[in-house]
Coordinates of all heavy atoms in Angstrom, one line a residue:
K1 N 0.8 -1.2 0.0 CA 0.0 -0.1 0.0 C 0.9 1.2 0.0 O 1.8 1.4 0.8 CB -0.9 0.0 1.2 CG -1.9 1.2 1.3 CD -2.8 1.0 2.5 CE -3.7 2.2 2.4 NZ -4.6 2.2 3.6
S2 N 0.6 2.2 -0.9 CA 1.4 3.5 -1.0 C 1.1 4.4 0.1 O -0.1 4.6 0.5 CB 1.1 4.1 -2.3 OG 1.7 5.3 -2.5
H3 N 2.1 5.0 0.7 CA 2.0 6.1 1.6 C 2.0 7.4 1.1 O 2.0 8.5 1.9 CB 3.0 6.0 2.8 CG 2.9 4.7 3.5 ND1 2.0 4.5 4.5 CD2 3.7 3.5 3.4 CE1 2.2 3.2 5.0 NE2 3.2 2.7 4.3
I4 N 1.9 7.6 -0.3 CA 1.9 8.9 -0.9 C 0.6 9.4 -1.0 O -0.4 8.7 -1.5 CB 2.5 8.8 -2.3 CG1 4.0 8.3 -2.2 CG2 2.3 10.1 -3.1 CD1 4.7 8.1 -3.5
R5 N 0.3 10.6 -0.5 CA -1.0 11.1 -0.6 C -1.0 12.2 -1.7 O -0.1 13.1 -1.7 CB -1.4 11.8 0.8 CG -1.5 10.8 1.9 CD -2.4 11.3 3.0 NE -2.6 10.3 3.9 CZ -2.0 10.2 5.1 NH1 -1.2 11.2 5.5 NH2 -2.2 9.2 5.9
L6 N -1.9 12.1 -2.6 CA -1.9 12.9 -3.8 C -1.9 14.4 -3.5 O -1.1 15.2 -4.0 CB -3.2 12.5 -4.6 CG -3.2 13.2 -6.1 CD1 -2.0 12.9 -6.9 CD2 -4.5 12.9 -6.8
V7 N -2.8 14.9 -2.7 CA -3.0 16.3 -2.5 C -1.9 16.9 -1.7 O -1.2 17.8 -2.0 CB -4.3 16.6 -1.8 CG1 -4.4 18.1 -1.5 CG2 -5.6 16.3 -2.7
R8 N -1.6 16.3 -0.5 CA -0.5 16.7 0.4 C 0.9 16.7 -0.3 O 1.6 17.7 -0.3 CB -0.6 16.0 1.7 CG 0.4 16.6 2.7 CD 0.3 15.9 4.1 NE 1.1 14.7 3.8 CZ 1.1 13.6 4.6 NH1 0.5 13.7 5.8 NH2 1.8 12.6 4.4
D9 N 1.3 15.4 -0.7 CA 2.5 15.4 -1.4 C 2.6 16.1 -2.7 O 3.7 16.6 -3.1 CB 2.8 13.9 -1.5 CG 3.0 13.2 -0.2 OD1 3.5 13.8 0.8 OD2 2.7 12.0 -0.1
G10 N 1.5 16.2 -3.5 CA 1.5 17.0 -4.6 C 1.7 18.4 -4.4 O 2.5 19.1 -5.2
M11 N 1.2 19.0 -3.4 CA 1.5 20.4 -3.0 C 2.9 20.6 -2.6 O 3.4 21.6 -2.9 CB 0.4 20.9 -1.9 CG -1.0 21.0 -2.4 SD -1.1 22.2 -3.7 CE -0.8 23.6 -3.0
R12 N 3.4 19.7 -1.8 CA 4.8 19.8 -1.4 C 5.7 19.8 -2.6 O 6.7 20.6 -2.8 CB 5.2 18.6 -0.5 CG 4.7 18.8 0.9 CD 5.3 17.6 1.7 NE 4.6 17.6 3.0 CZ 4.8 16.6 3.9 NH1 5.4 15.6 3.5 NH2 4.1 16.7 5.1
F13 N 5.4 18.9 -3.6 CA 6.3 18.8 -4.8 C 6.2 20.0 -5.6 O 7.2 20.6 -6.1 CB 5.8 17.6 -5.6 CG 6.5 17.4 -6.9 CD1 7.9 16.9 -6.9 CD2 6.0 17.7 -8.2 CE1 8.5 16.8 -8.1 CE2 6.6 17.5 -9.3 CZ 7.9 17.1 -9.2
L14 N 4.9 20.7 -5.7 CA 4.8 21.9 -6.5 C 5.6 23.1 -5.8 O 6.2 23.8 -6.4 CB 3.3 22.2 -6.6 CG 2.9 23.4 -7.3 CD1 3.3 23.3 -8.8 CD2 1.5 23.7 -7.2
M15 N 5.4 23.1 -4.5 CA 6.3 24.1 -3.8 C 7.8 23.9 -4.0 O 8.5 25.0 -4.0 CB 5.9 24.1 -2.3 CG 4.5 24.6 -1.9 SD 4.1 26.2 -2.6 CE 5.2 27.2 -1.6
I16 N 8.2 22.7 -4.0 CA 9.7 22.5 -4.2 C 10.0 23.0 -5.6 O 11.1 23.7 -5.8 CB 10.1 21.1 -4.0 CG1 10.0 20.7 -2.5 CG2 11.4 20.8 -4.6 CD1 10.1 19.2 -2.2
I17 N 9.3 22.6 -6.6 CA 9.5 23.1 -8.0 C 9.5 24.6 -8.1 O 10.4 25.2 -8.7 CB 8.4 22.4 -8.9 CG1 8.6 20.9 -9.0 CG2 8.6 23.0 -10.4 CD1 9.9 20.4 -9.6
L18 N 8.5 25.3 -7.5 CA 8.5 26.8 -7.4 C 9.6 27.3 -6.8 O 10.3 28.3 -7.3 CB 7.2 27.2 -6.8 CG 5.9 27.1 -7.7 CD1 4.7 27.5 -6.9 CD2 6.0 28.0 -8.9
R19 N 10.1 26.8 -5.7 CA 11.3 27.3 -4.9 C 12.5 27.3 -5.8 O 13.2 28.2 -5.8 CB 11.4 26.6 -3.6 CG 10.5 27.0 -2.6 CD 10.8 26.3 -1.3 NE 9.8 26.5 -0.3 CZ 9.6 25.9 0.7 NH1 10.4 24.8 1.0 NH2 8.6 26.2 1.6
V20 N 12.7 26.1 -6.5 CA 13.9 25.9 -7.3 C 13.9 26.8 -8.4 O 14.9 27.5 -8.8 CB 14.0 24.4 -7.7 CG1 15.1 24.3 -8.8 CG2 14.3 23.5 -6.5
G21 N 12.7 27.0 -9.1 CA 12.5 27.8 -10.2 C 12.8 29.3 -9.9 O 13.5 30.1 -10.6
I22 N 12.2 29.7 -8.7 CA 12.4 31.1 -8.3 C 13.9 31.3 -7.9 O 14.5 32.4 -8.0 CB 11.4 31.4 -7.2 CG1 10.0 31.5 -7.7 CG2 11.8 32.8 -6.5 CD1 9.0 31.6 -6.7
L23 N 14.6 30.3 -7.3 CA 15.9 30.5 -6.9 C 16.9 30.6 -8.2 O 17.7 31.6 -8.1 CB 16.4 29.3 -6.1 CG 17.8 29.3 -5.7 CD1 18.2 30.5 -4.7 CD2 18.2 27.9 -5.1
F24 N 16.7 29.9 -9.2 CA 17.6 30.0 -10.3 C 17.2 31.0 -11.4 O 18.1 31.7 -11.9 CB 17.7 28.6 -11.0 CG 18.4 27.6 -10.1 CD1 17.8 26.6 -9.5 CD2 19.8 27.8 -9.9 CE1 18.6 25.7 -8.8 CE2 20.4 26.9 -9.1 CZ 19.8 25.8 -8.5
S25 N 15.9 31.2 -11.6 CA 15.4 32.3 -12.6 C 14.2 33.0 -12.1 O 13.1 32.6 -12.6 CB 15.3 31.6 -14.0 OG 15.0 32.6 -14.9
P26 N 14.3 33.9 -11.2 CA 13.1 34.5 -10.6 C 12.2 35.2 -11.6 O 11.0 35.2 -11.5 CB 13.7 35.5 -9.6 CG 15.1 35.2 -9.5 CD 15.5 34.4 -10.6
M27 N 12.7 35.9 -12.6 CA 12.0 36.6 -13.5 C 11.1 35.7 -14.4 O 10.1 36.1 -14.9 CB 12.8 37.6 -14.4 CG 13.3 38.7 -13.6 SD 12.1 39.7 -12.6 CE 11.5 40.8 -14.0
R28 N 11.6 34.5 -14.6 CA 10.7 33.6 -15.4 C 9.3 33.3 -14.6 O 8.4 32.9 -15.2 CB 11.3 32.2 -15.6 CG 12.3 32.2 -16.7 CD 12.7 30.8 -17.0 NE 13.8 30.8 -18.1 CZ 14.3 29.7 -18.5 NH1 14.0 28.6 -18.0 NH2 15.2 29.8 -19.4
F29 N 9.3 33.5 -13.3 CA 8.1 33.4 -12.5 C 7.3 34.7 -12.4 O 6.2 34.8 -12.6 CB 8.4 32.7 -11.2 CG 7.1 32.6 -10.3 CD1 6.2 31.7 -10.5 CD2 7.0 33.5 -9.2 CE1 5.2 31.6 -9.7 CE2 5.9 33.5 -8.4 CZ 4.9 32.5 -8.7
F30 N 8.1 35.7 -11.9 CA 7.6 36.9 -11.5 C 7.0 37.8 -12.8 O 6.0 38.4 -12.7 CB 8.4 37.8 -10.8 CG 8.5 37.3 -9.4 CD1 9.6 36.6 -8.9 CD2 7.5 37.5 -8.4 CE1 9.8 36.1 -7.7 CE2 7.6 37.0 -7.1 CZ 8.8 36.2 -6.7
L31 N 7.7 37.8 -13.9 CA 7.3 38.6 -15.0 C 6.0 38.1 -15.6 O 5.2 39.0 -15.9 CB 8.5 38.5 -16.0 CG 8.4 39.7 -17.2 CD1 8.3 41.1 -16.6 CD2 9.5 39.4 -18.2
P32 N 5.8 36.9 -15.9 CA 4.4 36.5 -16.4 C 3.3 36.8 -15.5 O 2.2 37.2 -15.9 CB 4.5 35.0 -16.7 CG 6.0 34.7 -16.8 CD 6.7 35.7 -15.9
V33 N 3.5 36.7 -14.2 CA 2.5 37.0 -13.2 C 2.2 38.5 -13.2 O 1.0 38.9 -13.2 CB 2.9 36.4 -11.8 CG1 1.9 36.9 -10.8 CG2 3.0 35.0 -11.7
S34 N 3.2 39.3 -13.3 CA 3.1 40.7 -13.3 C 2.4 41.2 -14.6 O 1.5 42.0 -14.6 CB 4.4 41.4 -13.2 OG 4.4 42.7 -13.3
A35 N 2.9 40.6 -15.8 CA 2.2 41.0 -17.0 C 0.7 40.6 -17.1 O -0.1 41.3 -17.6 CB 3.0 40.3 -18.2
T36 N 0.4 39.4 -16.5 CA -1.0 39.0 -16.5 C -1.8 39.9 -15.6 O -2.9 40.3 -16.0 CB -1.1 37.6 -15.9 OG1 -0.3 36.6 -16.7 CG2 -2.5 37.1 -15.9
L37 N -1.3 40.3 -14.5 CA -2.1 41.3 -13.6 C -2.2 42.6 -14.3 O -3.3 43.2 -14.3 CB -1.4 41.4 -12.4 CG -1.5 40.3 -11.3 CD1 -0.5 40.6 -10.1 CD2 -2.9 40.1 -10.8
F38 N -1.2 43.1 -15.1 CA -1.3 44.3 -15.8 C -2.3 44.2 -16.9 O -3.1 45.2 -17.1 CB 0.0 44.7 -16.3 CG 0.1 46.1 -16.9 CD1 0.0 47.2 -16.1 CD2 0.2 46.2 -18.3 CE1 0.1 48.5 -16.7 CE2 0.2 47.5 -18.9 CZ 0.1 48.5 -18.1
V39 N -2.3 43.1 -17.7 CA -3.3 43.0 -18.7 C -4.8 42.9 -18.2 O -5.7 43.5 -18.7 CB -3.0 41.7 -19.6 CG1 -4.2 41.4 -20.4 CG2 -1.7 41.9 -20.3
I40 N -4.9 42.3 -17.1 CA -6.2 42.2 -16.4 C -6.6 43.6 -16.1 O -7.8 44.0 -16.2 CB -6.2 41.2 -15.2 CG1 -6.1 39.7 -15.7 CG2 -7.6 41.3 -14.4 CD1 -5.9 38.8 -14.7
A41 N -5.7 44.4 -15.3 CA -6.0 45.8 -15.0 C -6.4 46.6 -16.2 O -7.3 47.4 -16.0 CB -4.7 46.3 -14.3
C42 N -5.6 46.5 -17.2 CA -5.9 47.3 -18.4 C -7.3 47.0 -19.0 O -8.1 47.9 -19.4 CB -4.9 47.3 -19.4 SG -3.4 48.1 -18.9
S43 N -7.5 45.7 -19.0 CA -8.8 45.2 -19.6 C -10.0 45.7 -18.7 O -11.0 46.1 -19.2 CB -8.9 43.7 -19.6 OG -7.9 43.3 -20.6
Y44 N -9.8 45.6 -17.4 CA -10.8 46.0 -16.5 C -11.1 47.5 -16.6 O -12.2 48.0 -16.5 CB -10.5 45.5 -15.1 CG -11.6 45.7 -14.1 CD1 -12.8 45.0 -14.3 CD2 -11.7 46.7 -13.1 CE1 -13.9 45.1 -13.3 CE2 -12.7 47.0 -12.3 CZ -13.8 46.1 -12.4 OH -14.9 46.3 -11.6
Y45 N -10.0 48.3 -16.7 CA -10.1 49.7 -16.9 C -10.8 50.1 -18.2 O -11.7 51.0 -18.1 CB -8.7 50.4 -16.7 CG -8.8 51.9 -17.0 CD1 -9.5 52.7 -16.2 CD2 -8.2 52.4 -18.2 CE1 -9.6 54.0 -16.5 CE2 -8.3 53.7 -18.5 CZ -8.9 54.6 -17.6 OH -9.1 55.9 -17.8
G46 N -10.5 49.4 -19.2 CA -11.1 49.7 -20.5 C -12.7 49.4 -20.3 O -13.4 50.2 -20.8
Y47 N -13.0 48.3 -19.8 CA -14.4 47.9 -19.5 C -15.2 49.0 -18.7 O -16.3 49.4 -19.1 CB -14.5 46.6 -18.9 CG -15.9 46.2 -18.5 CD1 -16.8 45.8 -19.4 CD2 -16.3 46.2 -17.1 CE1 -18.1 45.5 -19.0 CE2 -17.6 46.0 -16.8 CZ -18.6 45.6 -17.8 OH -19.8 45.3 -17.3
T48 N -14.6 49.3 -17.6 CA -15.3 50.3 -16.7 C -15.2 51.7 -17.3 O -16.2 52.5 -17.1 CB -14.6 50.3 -15.3 OG1 -13.2 50.7 -15.4 CG2 -14.8 49.1 -14.5
Y49 N -14.2 52.0 -18.1 CA -14.2 53.3 -18.7 C -15.3 53.6 -19.8 O -16.0 54.6 -19.9 CB -12.8 53.6 -19.4 CG -12.8 55.0 -20.0 CD1 -12.7 56.2 -19.3 CD2 -12.9 55.1 -21.4 CE1 -12.6 57.4 -19.8 CE2 -12.9 56.3 -22.0 CZ -12.7 57.5 -21.2 OH -12.7 58.7 -21.8
F50 N -15.5 52.5 -20.6 CA -16.5 52.5 -21.5 C -18.0 52.3 -21.1 O -18.9 52.9 -21.7 CB -16.2 51.6 -22.7 CG -15.0 51.9 -23.6 CD1 -13.8 51.2 -23.6 CD2 -15.1 53.1 -24.4 CE1 -12.9 51.5 -24.4 CE2 -14.0 53.4 -25.1 CZ -12.9 52.7 -25.2
T51 N -18.1 51.7 -20.0 CA -19.4 51.5 -19.4 C -19.9 52.7 -18.5 O -21.0 53.0 -18.4 CB -19.6 50.0 -18.7 OG1 -18.5 50.1 -17.7 CG2 -19.4 49.0 -19.7
S52 N -18.9 53.1 -17.6 CA -19.3 54.0 -16.6 C -18.4 55.3 -16.5 O -18.6 56.1 -15.8 CB -19.4 53.4 -15.2 OG -18.2 52.8 -14.9
H53 N -17.4 55.4 -17.5 CA -16.5 56.5 -17.5 C -15.8 56.9 -16.3 O -15.9 58.0 -15.8 CB -17.3 57.8 -18.2 CG -17.9 57.5 -19.4 ND1 -17.1 57.3 -20.6 CD2 -19.2 57.3 -19.9 CE1 -17.9 57.1 -21.6 NE2 -19.2 57.1 -21.1
R54 N -15.1 55.8 -15.6 CA -14.5 56.1 -14.4 C -13.4 55.1 -14.1 O -13.4 54.1 -14.8 CB -15.4 56.2 -13.2 CG -16.1 54.9 -12.9 CD -17.1 55.0 -11.8 NE -17.7 53.8 -11.6 CZ -18.2 53.3 -10.4 NH1 -18.2 54.2 -9.4 NH2 -18.7 52.2 -10.3
L55 N -12.5 55.6 -13.3 CA -11.5 54.6 -12.9 C -11.8 54.1 -11.5 O -12.1 54.8 -10.5 CB -10.1 55.5 -12.7 CG -8.9 54.7 -12.2 CD1 -8.4 53.6 -13.2 CD2 -7.8 55.7 -11.8
T56 N -11.9 52.8 -11.4 CA -12.4 52.1 -10.1 C -11.2 51.7 -9.2 O -10.0 51.7 -9.7 CB -13.1 50.8 -10.5 OG1 -12.3 49.9 -11.2 CG2 -14.4 51.2 -11.4
N57 N -11.5 51.5 -8.0 CA -10.5 51.0 -7.0 C -9.9 49.7 -7.5 O -8.7 49.6 -7.2 CB -11.1 51.0 -5.6 CG -11.5 52.3 -5.0 OD1 -11.0 53.3 -5.5 ND2 -12.4 52.3 -4.1
M58 N -10.6 48.9 -8.0 CA -10.1 47.5 -8.4 C -9.1 47.7 -9.4 O -8.1 46.9 -9.4 CB -11.3 46.6 -8.9 CG -10.8 45.3 -9.3 SD -10.1 44.4 -8.0 CE -11.5 43.9 -7.0
T59 N -9.2 48.6 -10.5 CA -8.2 48.8 -11.4 C -6.9 49.3 -10.8 O -5.9 48.8 -11.2 CB -8.7 49.9 -12.4 OG1 -10.0 49.5 -13.0 CG2 -7.7 50.1 -13.6
V60 N -7.0 50.2 -10.0 CA -5.8 50.7 -9.2 C -5.2 49.7 -8.5 O -3.9 49.5 -8.4 CB -6.1 52.0 -8.3 CG1 -4.9 52.4 -7.5 CG2 -6.6 53.0 -9.2
L61 N -5.9 48.8 -7.7 CA -5.4 47.6 -7.0 C -4.7 46.7 -7.9 O -3.6 46.2 -7.5 CB -6.6 47.0 -6.1 CG -6.2 45.8 -5.3 CD1 -5.4 46.4 -4.0 CD2 -7.5 45.1 -4.8
L62 N -5.2 46.4 -9.0 CA -4.7 45.4 -9.9 C -3.4 45.9 -10.5 O -2.4 45.3 -10.6 CB -5.6 45.0 -11.0 CG -6.7 44.1 -10.6 CD1 -7.9 44.0 -11.7 CD2 -6.2 42.7 -10.4
M63 N -3.3 47.2 -10.8 CA -2.1 47.8 -11.3 C -1.0 47.8 -10.3 O 0.2 47.6 -10.6 CB -2.4 49.3 -11.9 CG -3.1 49.2 -13.2 SD -3.2 50.9 -13.9 CE -4.1 50.6 -15.3
L64 N -1.4 48.2 -9.0 CA -0.4 48.1 -7.9 C 0.1 46.8 -7.6 O 1.3 46.6 -7.3 CB -1.0 48.7 -6.7 CG -1.1 50.3 -6.7 CD1 -1.8 50.8 -5.3 CD2 0.2 50.9 -6.8
A65 N -0.8 45.7 -7.7 CA -0.4 44.4 -7.5 C 0.6 44.0 -8.6 O 1.6 43.3 -8.4 CB -1.6 43.4 -7.6
S66 N 0.4 44.4 -9.8 CA 1.2 44.2 -11.0 C 2.6 44.8 -10.7 O 3.7 44.1 -10.9 CB 0.6 44.7 -12.2 OG 1.6 44.6 -13.3
L67 N 2.7 46.0 -10.3 CA 3.9 46.7 -10.0 C 4.6 46.0 -8.9 O 5.9 45.9 -8.9 CB 3.6 48.2 -9.7 CG 4.8 49.1 -9.4 CD1 5.6 49.2 -10.6 CD2 4.4 50.3 -8.8
L68 N 4.0 45.8 -7.8 CA 4.6 45.1 -6.6 C 5.1 43.8 -7.0 O 6.2 43.4 -6.6 CB 3.6 45.0 -5.5 CG 3.3 46.3 -4.8 CD1 2.3 46.1 -3.8 CD2 4.5 47.0 -4.1
T69 N 4.5 43.0 -7.8 CA 4.9 41.7 -8.2 C 6.3 41.8 -9.1 O 7.1 41.0 -8.9 CB 3.9 41.0 -9.0 OG1 2.7 40.8 -8.2 CG2 4.3 39.5 -9.4
F70 N 6.2 42.8 -9.9 CA 7.4 43.1 -10.8 C 8.6 43.5 -9.9 O 9.7 43.0 -10.1 CB 7.1 44.1 -11.8 CG 8.2 44.4 -12.8 CD1 8.6 43.5 -13.8 CD2 9.0 45.7 -12.6 CE1 9.7 43.9 -14.6 CE2 10.0 45.9 -13.5 CZ 10.4 45.0 -14.5
M71 N 8.4 44.4 -8.9 CA 9.5 44.8 -8.0 C 9.9 43.6 -7.2 O 11.1 43.6 -7.0 CB 8.9 45.9 -7.1 CG 8.5 47.2 -7.9 SD 10.1 47.8 -8.8 CE 9.9 49.4 -8.7
M72 N 9.1 42.7 -6.7 CA 9.5 41.6 -6.0 C 10.4 40.7 -6.9 O 11.4 40.1 -6.5 CB 8.4 40.8 -5.5 CG 7.7 41.4 -4.3 SD 6.4 40.6 -3.4 CE 6.0 39.2 -4.4
G73 N 10.1 40.7 -8.2 CA 10.8 39.8 -9.1 C 12.2 40.5 -9.3 O 13.2 39.7 -9.3
I74 N 12.3 41.8 -9.4 CA 13.5 42.4 -9.5 C 14.4 42.2 -8.3 O 15.6 41.9 -8.3 CB 13.4 43.9 -9.8 CG1 12.8 44.2 -11.1 CG2 14.8 44.7 -9.5 CD1 12.5 45.5 -11.5
L75 N 13.9 42.3 -7.0 CA 14.5 42.1 -5.9 C 15.0 40.6 -5.8 O 16.1 40.3 -5.4 CB 13.6 42.4 -4.7 CG 14.2 42.2 -3.3 CD1 15.4 43.2 -3.1 CD2 13.2 42.5 -2.3
A76 N 14.1 39.6 -6.2 CA 14.6 38.2 -6.1 C 15.8 38.0 -7.2 O 16.6 37.1 -6.9 CB 13.4 37.3 -6.5
E77 N 15.7 38.7 -8.3 CA 16.7 38.6 -9.3 C 18.1 39.1 -8.7 O 19.2 38.5 -8.9 CB 16.4 39.3 -10.6 CG 17.3 39.1 -11.7 CD 17.1 37.8 -12.4 OE1 16.0 37.3 -12.5 OE2 18.1 37.3 -12.9
L78 N 18.1 40.2 -8.0 CA 19.2 40.8 -7.4 C 19.8 39.8 -6.3 O 21.0 39.6 -6.2 CB 19.0 42.0 -6.8 CG 18.8 43.2 -7.8 CD1 18.3 44.5 -7.1 CD2 19.9 43.5 -8.6
I79 N 18.9 39.2 -5.5 CA 19.4 38.3 -4.5 C 19.9 37.0 -5.1 O 20.9 36.6 -4.6 CB 18.2 37.9 -3.6 CG1 17.8 39.1 -2.7 CG2 18.5 36.8 -2.6 CD1 16.5 39.0 -1.9
S80 N 19.4 36.6 -6.2 CA 20.0 35.4 -6.9 C 21.2 35.7 -7.5 O 22.2 35.0 -7.4 CB 18.9 35.0 -8.0 OG 19.4 33.9 -8.7
A81 N 21.4 36.9 -8.0 CA 22.7 37.3 -8.7 C 23.8 37.4 -7.5 O 24.9 36.9 -7.8 CB 22.6 38.6 -9.4
L82 N 23.4 37.9 -6.5 CA 24.4 38.0 -5.3 C 24.8 36.7 -4.8 O 25.9 36.4 -4.5 CB 23.9 38.8 -4.1 CG 23.7 40.3 -4.4 CD1 23.1 41.0 -3.3 CD2 25.2 40.9 -4.6
H83 N 23.8 35.7 -4.7 CA 24.1 34.3 -4.2 C 25.0 33.7 -5.2 O 26.0 33.0 -4.7 CB 22.7 33.6 -4.3 CG 22.9 32.0 -3.9 ND1 23.1 31.7 -2.7 CD2 22.8 31.1 -4.7 CE1 23.2 30.5 -2.7 NE2 23.0 30.0 -3.9
Y84 N 24.8 33.8 -6.5 CA 25.7 33.2 -7.5 C 27.1 33.9 -7.5 O 28.1 33.2 -7.7 CB 25.1 33.2 -8.9 CG 24.0 32.3 -9.1 CD1 22.8 32.6 -9.5 CD2 24.1 31.0 -8.7 CE1 21.7 31.8 -9.7 CE2 23.0 30.0 -8.8 CZ 21.9 30.5 -9.4 OH 20.8 29.6 -9.4
K85 N 27.1 35.2 -7.3 CA 28.4 35.8 -7.2 C 29.3 35.3 -6.0 O 30.4 35.1 -6.2 CB 28.2 37.4 -7.1 CG 29.5 38.1 -7.2 CD 29.2 39.7 -7.0 CE 30.5 40.5 -7.0 NZ 30.1 41.9 -6.9
E86 N 28.7 35.2 -4.9 CA 29.3 34.6 -3.8 C 29.8 33.1 -4.0 O 30.9 32.9 -3.6 CB 28.4 34.7 -2.5 CG 28.3 36.1 -1.9 CD 27.4 36.1 -0.7 OE1 27.2 35.0 -0.1 OE2 26.9 37.2 -0.3
A87 N 29.0 32.4 -4.6 CA 29.3 31.0 -4.9 C 30.6 31.0 -5.9 O 31.4 30.1 -5.8 CB 28.1 30.3 -5.5
D88 N 30.6 31.8 -6.8 CA 31.8 32.0 -7.8 C 33.0 32.3 -7.1 O 34.1 31.9 -7.4 CB 31.4 32.8 -9.0 CG 30.4 32.4 -10.0 OD1 30.2 31.1 -10.0 OD2 29.8 33.1 -10.7
L89 N 33.0 33.3 -6.2 CA 34.0 33.7 -5.5 C 34.6 32.7 -4.5 O 35.8 32.5 -4.3 CB 33.7 35.0 -4.6 CG 33.5 36.2 -5.3 CD1 33.0 37.3 -4.4 CD2 34.7 36.7 -6.1
R90 N 33.7 31.8 -4.0 CA 34.3 30.8 -3.2 C 35.0 29.7 -4.0 O 35.9 29.0 -3.6 CB 33.0 30.1 -2.5 CG 32.6 30.9 -1.3 CD 31.5 30.1 -0.5 NE 30.5 31.0 0.0 CZ 29.3 30.8 0.1 NH1 28.7 29.7 -0.2 NH2 28.5 31.8 0.7
Q91 N 34.5 29.4 -5.2 CA 35.1 28.4 -6.0 C 36.4 28.9 -6.6 O 37.3 28.1 -6.8 CB 34.2 28.0 -7.2 CG 32.9 27.1 -6.8 CD 32.1 26.9 -8.0 OE1 32.4 27.3 -9.1 NE2 31.0 26.1 -7.6
G92 N 36.6 30.1 -7.0 CA 37.7 30.5 -7.8 C 38.6 31.4 -7.0 O 39.6 31.7 -6.9

């Protein structure tokens, strides 16, 4: 009988894959998420502008979420670069 649980162990495996991906190439994760949020924000703004001629709080919230996600990606990229720079200094 297998002791592997699909949901619990599947979530652990997914988290490990995300951690490794973010460690080695953070912008591959953060950039598409940020771009998706930005496209959703622009689409929602277009919809609310043409239907009610206003800028809603949700549009601003989505744009800020996009910006913050992008900035977290830049920060993660810098941390990753520093990590690799230190590893190269130790080897050579």
